[in-house]
Amino acid sequence: MVDLRGRDLLKLLDYTPEEIRYVLDLAKDLKYKKHNRIPHRYLEGRNIVLLFEKTSTRTRCSFEVAGLDLGMGVTFLDPGSSQMGKKESIADTARVLSRMYDGIEYRGFSQEIVEELARYSDKPVWNGLTDQFHPTQMFADLLTIEEHLGRLQGVNFTYMGDARNNMGNSLMVACAKMGLNFTACAPKELFPEAWLVEEAKKIAAESGGSVRLTEDVYEGTKDADVIYTDIWVSMGEPAEVWETRINLLKKYQVNKAAMANAKKDAIFMHCLPSFHDEKTTIGADIAKRFGIPEMEVTNEVFESEQSVVFDEAENRMHTIKAIVCATMIDEPIDLG
Ligand code: CP
Ligand code: NVA
Protein backbone atom coordinates (compact mmCIF):
# COMPACT_ATOMS: atom_id res chain seq x y z
CA MET A 1 0.00 0.00 0.00
CA VAL A 2 1.16 3.55 -0.73
CA ASP A 3 2.51 5.24 2.40
CA LEU A 4 3.14 9.01 2.19
CA ARG A 5 3.53 9.67 5.93
CA GLY A 6 6.13 12.32 6.67
CA ARG A 7 6.65 13.20 2.99
CA ASP A 8 6.88 16.74 1.61
CA LEU A 9 5.11 17.88 -1.55
CA LEU A 10 7.59 20.22 -3.24
CA LYS A 11 7.01 19.29 -6.90
CA LEU A 12 5.19 16.50 -8.71
CA LEU A 13 8.48 15.23 -10.18
CA ASP A 14 9.15 13.76 -6.69
CA TYR A 15 5.98 11.59 -6.73
CA THR A 16 5.44 8.29 -8.54
CA PRO A 17 2.28 7.68 -10.62
CA GLU A 18 1.13 5.20 -7.91
CA GLU A 19 1.51 7.88 -5.22
CA ILE A 20 -0.40 10.41 -7.34
CA ARG A 21 -3.12 7.78 -7.94
CA TYR A 22 -3.38 7.20 -4.18
CA VAL A 23 -3.83 10.94 -3.44
CA LEU A 24 -6.52 11.20 -6.14
CA ASP A 25 -8.41 8.19 -4.74
CA LEU A 26 -8.14 9.53 -1.20
CA ALA A 27 -9.45 12.90 -2.44
CA LYS A 28 -12.49 11.15 -3.98
CA ASP A 29 -13.17 9.43 -0.66
CA LEU A 30 -12.82 12.68 1.30
CA LYS A 31 -14.99 14.55 -1.22
CA TYR A 32 -17.73 11.94 -0.78
CA LYS A 33 -17.47 12.28 3.02
CA LYS A 34 -17.63 16.08 2.84
CA HIS A 35 -20.67 16.08 0.54
CA ASN A 36 -22.45 13.57 2.75
CA ARG A 37 -21.48 15.23 6.04
CA ILE A 38 -19.56 12.18 7.22
CA PRO A 39 -17.04 13.38 9.83
CA HIS A 40 -13.37 12.86 8.96
CA ARG A 41 -11.47 14.51 11.80
CA TYR A 42 -8.45 12.24 11.30
CA LEU A 43 -5.91 14.80 12.55
CA GLU A 44 -7.69 16.01 15.69
CA GLY A 45 -5.48 18.12 17.96
CA ARG A 46 -2.70 18.74 15.42
CA ASN A 47 -1.76 22.16 13.98
CA ILE A 48 -0.56 23.48 10.62
CA VAL A 49 0.80 26.86 9.54
CA LEU A 50 0.33 28.53 6.17
CA LEU A 51 3.09 30.89 4.98
CA PHE A 52 2.10 33.18 2.12
CA GLU A 53 4.57 35.58 0.50
CA LYS A 54 2.16 36.02 -2.45
CA THR A 55 -1.61 36.56 -2.39
CA SER A 56 -4.15 33.71 -2.68
CA THR A 57 -7.84 32.87 -2.49
CA ARG A 58 -8.16 29.18 -3.46
CA THR A 59 -4.96 27.76 -1.98
CA ARG A 60 -5.27 29.57 1.34
CA CYS A 61 -8.97 28.76 1.77
CA SER A 62 -8.42 25.14 0.72
CA PHE A 63 -5.72 24.61 3.34
CA GLU A 64 -7.82 26.39 5.99
CA VAL A 65 -11.04 24.44 5.32
CA ALA A 66 -9.15 21.15 4.84
CA GLY A 67 -7.29 21.65 8.12
CA LEU A 68 -10.47 22.49 10.03
CA ASP A 69 -12.41 19.56 8.50
CA LEU A 70 -9.57 17.24 9.58
CA GLY A 71 -9.88 18.56 13.16
CA MET A 72 -6.75 20.71 13.19
CA GLY A 73 -5.81 24.22 14.24
CA VAL A 74 -4.69 26.41 11.33
CA THR A 75 -2.55 29.60 11.44
CA PHE A 76 -2.17 31.93 8.43
CA LEU A 77 0.94 34.11 8.22
CA ASP A 78 1.93 36.68 5.61
CA PRO A 79 4.89 39.08 5.56
CA GLY A 80 2.63 41.95 6.62
CA SER A 81 1.66 40.33 9.93
CA SER A 82 4.81 38.40 10.91
CA GLN A 83 8.60 38.83 11.07
CA MET A 84 8.95 36.62 7.96
CA GLY A 85 11.08 38.16 5.22
CA LYS A 86 11.81 41.58 6.70
CA LYS A 87 13.33 40.64 10.07
CA GLU A 88 13.66 36.86 9.87
CA SER A 89 14.79 34.62 7.03
CA ILE A 90 12.52 31.90 5.70
CA ALA A 91 14.95 29.27 6.99
CA ASP A 92 14.84 30.67 10.55
CA THR A 93 11.07 31.08 10.35
CA ALA A 94 10.73 27.44 9.29
CA ARG A 95 12.97 26.18 12.09
CA VAL A 96 10.89 28.05 14.65
CA LEU A 97 7.56 26.99 13.19
CA SER A 98 8.44 23.33 12.81
CA ARG A 99 8.90 23.25 16.63
CA MET A 100 5.30 24.42 17.05
CA TYR A 101 3.40 22.99 14.10
CA ASP A 102 2.92 19.54 12.55
CA GLY A 103 2.97 20.72 8.92
CA ILE A 104 3.97 23.82 6.92
CA GLU A 105 2.51 25.21 3.69
CA TYR A 106 4.58 27.75 1.75
CA ARG A 107 3.65 30.01 -1.19
CA GLY A 108 6.30 32.33 -2.53
CA PHE A 109 8.95 33.02 -5.07
CA SER A 110 11.83 30.69 -5.96
CA GLN A 111 11.53 26.92 -5.77
CA GLU A 112 14.84 26.89 -3.84
CA ILE A 113 13.09 28.55 -0.87
CA VAL A 114 10.52 25.79 -0.45
CA GLU A 115 13.21 23.13 -0.97
CA GLU A 116 15.35 24.82 1.71
CA LEU A 117 12.41 25.07 4.03
CA ALA A 118 11.83 21.34 3.70
CA ARG A 119 15.49 20.64 4.49
CA TYR A 120 15.20 22.61 7.74
CA SER A 121 11.79 21.26 8.79
CA ASP A 122 11.26 17.77 10.18
CA LYS A 123 7.52 18.13 9.52
CA PRO A 124 5.86 17.82 6.07
CA VAL A 125 6.22 20.92 3.86
CA TRP A 126 3.71 21.54 1.05
CA ASN A 127 4.45 23.87 -1.87
CA GLY A 128 1.43 26.13 -2.33
CA LEU A 129 3.00 27.69 -5.50
CA THR A 130 6.44 28.96 -6.41
CA ASP A 131 7.60 30.70 -9.59
CA GLN A 132 8.48 27.27 -11.01
CA PHE A 133 5.86 24.80 -9.79
CA HIS A 134 2.29 24.58 -8.42
CA PRO A 135 1.96 20.92 -7.34
CA THR A 136 -1.20 21.09 -5.19
CA GLN A 137 -3.07 22.51 -8.20
CA MET A 138 -2.11 19.37 -10.19
CA PHE A 139 -4.10 16.99 -8.01
CA ALA A 140 -7.21 19.17 -8.42
CA ASP A 141 -6.72 19.33 -12.18
CA LEU A 142 -6.20 15.58 -12.61
CA LEU A 143 -9.23 14.82 -10.42
CA THR A 144 -11.40 17.25 -12.42
CA ILE A 145 -10.33 15.70 -15.74
CA GLU A 146 -11.05 12.22 -14.46
CA GLU A 147 -14.48 13.26 -13.13
CA HIS A 148 -15.48 14.86 -16.43
CA LEU A 149 -13.85 12.55 -18.98
CA GLY A 150 -13.82 9.31 -17.00
CA ARG A 151 -10.11 8.69 -17.57
CA LEU A 152 -6.61 10.19 -17.58
CA GLN A 153 -4.69 7.75 -19.77
CA GLY A 154 -4.64 8.87 -23.41
CA VAL A 155 -6.42 12.20 -22.83
CA ASN A 156 -5.29 14.89 -25.31
CA PHE A 157 -4.38 17.86 -23.13
CA THR A 158 -3.50 21.25 -24.62
CA TYR A 159 -2.04 24.08 -22.57
CA MET A 160 -2.21 27.46 -24.32
CA GLY A 161 -0.28 30.56 -23.26
CA ASP A 162 2.72 31.10 -21.00
CA ALA A 163 4.03 27.54 -21.05
CA ARG A 164 7.17 28.20 -18.98
CA ASN A 165 5.44 29.47 -15.86
CA ASN A 166 4.57 27.41 -12.76
CA MET A 167 1.37 26.11 -14.40
CA GLY A 168 2.88 25.17 -17.78
CA ASN A 169 5.78 23.36 -16.06
CA SER A 170 3.59 21.54 -13.58
CA LEU A 171 0.93 20.47 -16.07
CA MET A 172 3.55 19.06 -18.43
CA VAL A 173 4.95 16.92 -15.60
CA ALA A 174 1.49 15.90 -14.29
CA CYS A 175 0.35 14.82 -17.76
CA ALA A 176 3.60 12.92 -18.37
CA LYS A 177 3.29 11.06 -15.06
CA MET A 178 -0.32 10.00 -15.63
CA GLY A 179 -0.21 9.01 -19.32
CA LEU A 180 -1.91 12.04 -20.93
CA ASN A 181 -0.80 13.46 -24.29
CA PHE A 182 0.49 16.94 -23.37
CA THR A 183 0.77 19.76 -25.90
CA ALA A 184 2.20 23.16 -25.05
CA CYS A 185 0.73 25.55 -27.61
CA ALA A 186 2.77 28.73 -27.17
CA PRO A 187 5.30 31.03 -28.81
CA LYS A 188 8.76 29.45 -28.63
CA GLU A 189 9.99 32.24 -26.33
CA LEU A 190 7.57 30.86 -23.74
CA PHE A 191 8.24 27.13 -24.14
CA PRO A 192 9.21 25.30 -20.92
CA GLU A 193 12.95 24.95 -20.23
CA ALA A 194 14.67 22.25 -22.31
CA TRP A 195 15.83 20.13 -19.34
CA LEU A 196 12.27 19.90 -18.01
CA VAL A 197 10.87 18.99 -21.44
CA GLU A 198 13.47 16.21 -21.72
CA GLU A 199 12.63 14.96 -18.24
CA ALA A 200 8.88 15.01 -19.01
CA LYS A 201 9.44 13.13 -22.28
CA LYS A 202 11.33 10.39 -20.42
CA ILE A 203 8.53 10.11 -17.85
CA ALA A 204 5.86 10.05 -20.60
CA ALA A 205 7.70 7.23 -22.40
CA GLU A 206 7.10 5.09 -19.29
CA SER A 207 3.49 6.08 -18.67
CA GLY A 208 2.33 5.75 -22.29
CA GLY A 209 1.73 9.50 -22.57
CA SER A 210 3.51 12.03 -24.79
CA VAL A 211 4.88 15.58 -24.74
CA ARG A 212 4.99 17.98 -27.66
CA LEU A 213 5.54 21.71 -28.11
CA THR A 214 4.03 23.70 -30.97
CA GLU A 215 3.65 27.33 -31.99
CA ASP A 216 0.78 26.44 -34.32
CA VAL A 217 -2.65 27.12 -32.81
CA TYR A 218 -4.57 24.95 -35.28
CA GLU A 219 -2.27 21.95 -34.82
CA GLY A 220 -2.08 22.49 -31.05
CA THR A 221 -5.82 22.57 -30.42
CA LYS A 222 -6.87 19.94 -33.00
CA ASP A 223 -8.77 17.08 -31.33
CA ALA A 224 -7.94 18.22 -27.80
CA ASP A 225 -10.01 16.72 -24.96
CA VAL A 226 -8.91 19.47 -22.57
CA ILE A 227 -7.92 23.05 -23.33
CA TYR A 228 -6.22 24.76 -20.41
CA THR A 229 -4.87 28.28 -19.95
CA ASP A 230 -3.49 30.57 -17.26
CA ILE A 231 -2.96 34.31 -16.87
CA TRP A 232 -0.35 35.84 -19.16
CA VAL A 233 1.63 37.63 -16.44
CA SER A 234 2.17 35.75 -13.19
CA MET A 235 2.50 36.98 -9.62
CA GLY A 236 5.94 38.39 -8.97
CA GLU A 237 6.55 39.49 -12.59
CA PRO A 238 7.01 43.24 -13.18
CA ALA A 239 4.08 45.21 -14.63
CA GLU A 240 6.32 46.31 -17.55
CA VAL A 241 6.10 42.86 -19.15
CA TRP A 242 2.37 43.19 -19.94
CA GLU A 243 2.84 44.80 -23.34
CA THR A 244 5.38 42.26 -24.67
CA ARG A 245 3.41 39.38 -23.17
CA ILE A 246 0.12 40.52 -24.75
CA ASN A 247 1.82 40.80 -28.13
CA LEU A 248 3.34 37.35 -27.78
CA LEU A 249 0.22 35.64 -26.50
CA LYS A 250 -2.82 37.29 -28.08
CA LYS A 251 -3.06 34.65 -30.79
CA TYR A 252 -3.01 31.95 -28.09
CA GLN A 253 -6.22 33.22 -26.46
CA VAL A 254 -8.72 30.43 -25.77
CA ASN A 255 -11.74 31.52 -27.81
CA LYS A 256 -14.62 29.95 -29.70
CA ALA A 257 -12.40 29.02 -32.66
CA ALA A 258 -9.90 27.19 -30.43
CA MET A 259 -12.70 25.26 -28.70
CA ALA A 260 -14.36 24.45 -32.04
CA ASN A 261 -11.10 22.90 -33.28
CA ALA A 262 -10.97 20.65 -30.20
CA LYS A 263 -13.17 17.56 -29.75
CA LYS A 264 -16.92 18.20 -29.57
CA ASP A 265 -17.13 17.36 -25.86
CA ALA A 266 -13.82 18.99 -24.89
CA ILE A 267 -13.62 20.77 -21.56
CA PHE A 268 -12.08 24.16 -20.75
CA MET A 269 -9.93 24.50 -17.62
CA HIS A 270 -8.11 27.33 -15.81
CA CYS A 271 -6.42 27.38 -12.39
CA LEU A 272 -7.93 30.85 -11.74
CA PRO A 273 -7.91 33.76 -11.13
CA SER A 274 -8.70 34.68 -14.74
CA PHE A 275 -8.89 37.86 -16.80
CA HIS A 276 -11.95 37.02 -18.92
CA ASP A 277 -13.70 40.39 -18.56
CA GLU A 278 -13.16 43.91 -17.25
CA LYS A 279 -14.55 43.25 -13.77
CA THR A 280 -11.16 43.39 -12.02
CA THR A 281 -8.88 46.38 -11.54
CA ILE A 282 -6.10 44.80 -13.62
CA GLY A 283 -8.56 43.59 -16.29
CA ALA A 284 -10.07 47.09 -16.57
CA ASP A 285 -6.63 48.74 -16.68
CA ILE A 286 -5.37 46.40 -19.44
CA ALA A 287 -8.59 46.92 -21.41
CA LYS A 288 -8.06 50.68 -21.23
CA ARG A 289 -4.34 50.62 -22.06
CA PHE A 290 -4.28 47.96 -24.78
CA GLY A 291 -7.89 47.83 -26.00
CA ILE A 292 -8.41 44.14 -25.12
CA PRO A 293 -11.45 43.48 -22.90
CA GLU A 294 -10.60 39.77 -22.46
CA MET A 295 -7.18 38.18 -22.20
CA GLU A 296 -6.19 34.50 -21.95
CA VAL A 297 -9.81 33.32 -22.40
CA THR A 298 -12.90 34.98 -23.81
CA ASN A 299 -15.84 35.51 -21.50
CA GLU A 300 -17.90 33.38 -23.89
CA VAL A 301 -15.70 30.30 -23.36
CA PHE A 302 -15.24 30.97 -19.64
CA GLU A 303 -19.02 31.04 -19.10
CA SER A 304 -19.81 28.21 -21.54
CA GLU A 305 -21.12 24.71 -20.77
CA GLN A 306 -17.67 23.37 -21.62
CA SER A 307 -16.01 25.34 -18.83
CA VAL A 308 -15.37 23.29 -15.66
CA VAL A 309 -13.37 25.96 -13.82
CA PHE A 310 -15.52 26.04 -10.68
CA ASP A 311 -15.52 22.23 -10.30
CA GLU A 312 -11.76 22.52 -10.61
CA ALA A 313 -11.65 25.25 -7.92
CA GLU A 314 -13.76 23.14 -5.54
CA ASN A 315 -11.42 20.20 -6.10
CA ARG A 316 -8.51 22.27 -4.77
CA MET A 317 -9.96 21.79 -1.29
CA HIS A 318 -10.63 18.04 -1.53
CA THR A 319 -7.22 17.30 -3.04
CA ILE A 320 -5.30 19.54 -0.63
CA LYS A 321 -7.13 17.75 2.19
CA ALA A 322 -5.98 14.43 0.72
CA ILE A 323 -2.32 15.43 0.50
CA VAL A 324 -2.32 16.91 4.02
CA CYS A 325 -4.05 13.81 5.37
CA ALA A 326 -1.80 11.33 3.55
CA THR A 327 1.40 13.03 4.71
CA MET A 328 0.34 13.67 8.33
CA ILE A 329 -1.81 10.73 9.37
CA ASP A 330 -0.54 8.17 11.97
CA GLU A 331 -1.84 5.07 10.17
CA PRO A 332 -2.21 5.19 6.35
CA ILE A 333 -5.80 4.90 5.11
CA ASP A 334 -6.30 1.68 3.14
CA LEU A 335 -8.52 2.52 0.17
CA GLY A 336 -8.84 -1.15 -0.78
N1 CP B 1 -5.28 28.58 -8.42
C1 CP B 1 -4.76 29.17 -7.34
O1 CP B 1 -3.69 28.80 -6.83
O2 CP B 1 -5.49 30.20 -6.86
P1 CP B 1 -5.06 31.20 -5.69
O3 CP B 1 -3.93 32.04 -6.21
O4 CP B 1 -6.29 32.00 -5.39
O5 CP B 1 -4.61 30.40 -4.51
N1 NVA C 1 0.75 31.47 -13.01
C1 NVA C 1 -0.10 32.05 -11.99
C2 NVA C 1 -0.84 30.99 -11.26
C3 NVA C 1 -1.82 31.47 -10.23
C4 NVA C 1 -2.53 30.38 -9.52
C5 NVA C 1 0.74 32.89 -11.05
O1 NVA C 1 1.80 32.43 -10.62
O2 NVA C 1 0.34 34.02 -10.76
Side-chain angles (χ1 to χ4, degrees):
M1 192 175 73
V2 170
D3 182 359
L4 290 169
R5 285 174 302 168
R7 284 275 294 277
D8 302 313
L9 173 65
L10 306 178
K11 54 189 181 302
L12 218 58
L13 282 171
D14 303 334
Y15 275 54
T16 65
E18 293 70 33
E19 289 168 344
I20 296 169
R21 181 74 263 159
Y22 177 80
V23 175
L24 295 175
D25 289 343
L26 181 57
K28 283 183 194 169
D29 181 62
L30 293 168
K31 183 171 180 174
Y32 175 82
K33 290 191 166 98
K34 175 81 175 177
H35 284 184
N36 290 282
R37 300 200 180 179
I38 300 168
H40 43 284
R41 298 172 68 85
Y42 301 137
L43 299 173
E44 192 97 53
R46 319 269 295 270
N47 294 283
I48 57 171
V49 62
L50 316 178
L51 308 182
F52 279 80
E53 294 204 284
K54 290 175 177 169
T55 51
S56 168
T57 297
R58 276 146 292 273
T59 310
R60 175 189 175 172
C61 296
S62 295
F63 271 99
E64 292 214 13
V65 173
L68 296 172
D69 283 354
L70 291 167
M72 291 196 284
V74 182
T75 304
F76 170 78
L77 281 188
D78 65 8
S81 54
S82 72
Q83 314 288 21
M84 181 168 74
K86 291 183 301 294
K87 285 174 73 180
E88 196 157 33
S89 68
I90 298 295
D92 289 355
T93 308
R95 280 181 286 186
V96 170
L97 295 175
S98 67
R99 301 286 182 104
M100 301 179 188
Y101 290 92
D102 305 295
I104 302 176
E105 182 274 357
Y106 173 79
R107 165 173 287 199
F109 297 90
S110 80
Q111 179 70 16
E112 286 68 43
I113 296 176
V114 77
E115 304 266 351
E116 184 183 352
L117 228 155
R119 275 198 302 280
Y120 281 110
S121 164
D122 54 1
K123 309 286 170 46
V125 170
W126 309 289
N127 174 0
L129 179 147
T130 59
D131 293 342
Q132 206 175 5
F133 293 113
H134 194 5
T136 63
Q137 178 78 47
M138 295 308 103
F139 291 111
D141 294 346
L142 291 169
L143 179 62
T144 308
I145 294 169
E146 195 162 73
E147 285 175 345
H148 281 273
L149 303 180
R151 68 192 200 288
L152 293 176
Q153 189 74 41
V155 161
N156 294 334
F157 183 103
T158 296
Y159 177 86
M160 294 180 82
D162 181 4
R164 38 100 262 182
N165 73 10
N166 40 26
M167 287 305 304
N169 290 341
S170 302
L171 287 165
M172 178 169 67
V173 173
C175 288
K177 291 262 178 190
M178 302 311 281
L180 289 79
N181 299 313
F182 176 84
T183 299
C185 184
K188 63 176 178 322
E189 294 88 333
L190 298 176
F191 279 172
E193 287 181 40
W195 73 268
L196 191 59
V197 176
E198 283 322 301
E199 191 62 31
K201 280 185 175 167
K202 270 190 237 150
I203 297 168
E206 291 191 6
S207 71
S210 61
V211 172
R212 86 177 157 151
L213 313 177
T214 178
E215 290 195 284
D216 187 304
V217 173
Y218 180 83
E219 187 191 316
T221 53
K222 185 89 201 119
D223 293 331
D225 294 298
V226 181
I227 296 199
Y228 199 116
T229 191
D230 182 20
I231 50 172
W232 288 345
V233 175
S234 286
M235 289 184 278
E237 293 197 282
E240 300 82 75
V241 303
W242 270 112
E243 187 168 1
T244 345
R245 206 55 69 68
I246 288 169
N247 288 331
L248 273 174
L249 288 175
K250 58 184 178 225
K251 78 172 194 196
Y252 297 93
Q253 180 189 61
V254 180
N255 51 30
K256 208 169 143 186
M259 292 306 294
N261 196 35
K263 284 195 189 148
K264 199 166 60 53
D265 52 359
I267 55 174
F268 167 72
M269 297 179 70
H270 192 311
C271 56
L272 306 181
S274 158
F275 295 121
H276 57 94
D277 58 24
E278 296 173 54
K279 294 180 187 162
T280 61
T281 45
I282 296 178
D285 178 54
I286 297 294
K288 203 160 99 201
R289 282 165 57 206
F290 302 103
I292 46 164
E294 314 160 304
M295 286 191 257
E296 72 276 5
V297 55
T298 60
N299 198 46
E300 185 179 23
V301 170
F302 187 90
E303 297 292 354
S304 71
E305 289 284 307
Q306 286 169 287
S307 172
V308 300
V309 296
F310 297 110
D311 292 340
E312 187 183 356
E314 178 191 331
N315 282 338
R316 294 298 310 286
M317 200 283 286
H318 304 298
T319 48
I320 280 177
K321 190 185 285 177
I323 191 71
V324 167
C325 191
T327 52
M328 285 185 72
I329 203 152
D330 286 331
E331 285 302 318
I333 299 171
D334 189 352
L335 295 166

